[in-house]
């Protein structure tokens, strides 16, 4: 059952930007534990939470390669 829900979520999620794709690729190439990367589904969820909450600032402590921080930053209002 989890496999079918994972496939559904991935199929219906937004495609990550080119920059996030590059960061994900570099994480897999240059780190010993690439599974620690948040990934596109979790990243889009974090972005949505930031957007919906109307947050003006974000503090992330303990970033791995910065993927989730970049996703949350994309959810912040411009300016």
């Amino acid at each position: 059952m989890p496999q079918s829900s994972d496939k559904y979520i991935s199929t219906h999620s937004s495609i990550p930007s080119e920059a996030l794709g590059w960061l994900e690729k570099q994480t897999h190439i240059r780190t010993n534990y690439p599974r620690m990367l948040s990934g596109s589904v979790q990243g889009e969820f974090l972005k949505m939470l930031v957007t919906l909450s109307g947050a003006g600032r974000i503090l992330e402590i303990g970033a791995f390669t910065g993927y989730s921080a970049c996703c949350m930053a994309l959810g912040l209002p411009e300016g």
Side-chain angles (χ1 to χ4, degrees):
M1 188 79 146
Q3 291 177 345
S4 62
S5 62
D6 288 345
K7 183 178 179 182
Y8 178 85
I9 291 169
S10 296
T11 302
H12 292 86
S13 293
S14 300
I15 298 171
S17 68
E18 186 177 328
L20 288 173
W22 178 87
L23 181 55
E24 184 173 359
K25 182 178 178 182
Q26 293 303 310
T27 299
H28 283 275
I29 292 171
R30 298 174 186 266
T31 66
N32 293 327
Y33 302 102
R35 289 179 288 163
M36 290 176 53
L37 182 78
S38 298
S40 62
V41 173
Q42 293 90 347
E44 285 297 316
F45 181 68
L46 290 170
K47 178 182 168 184
M48 181 182 68
L49 288 177
V50 170
T51 302
L52 292 174
S53 71
R57 294 184 211 148
I58 296 171
L59 172 63
E60 181 175 12
I61 299 172
F64 177 48
T65 57
Y67 190 94
S68 60
C70 289
C71 291
M72 288 187 285
L74 289 170
L76 290 171
E78 291 188 29

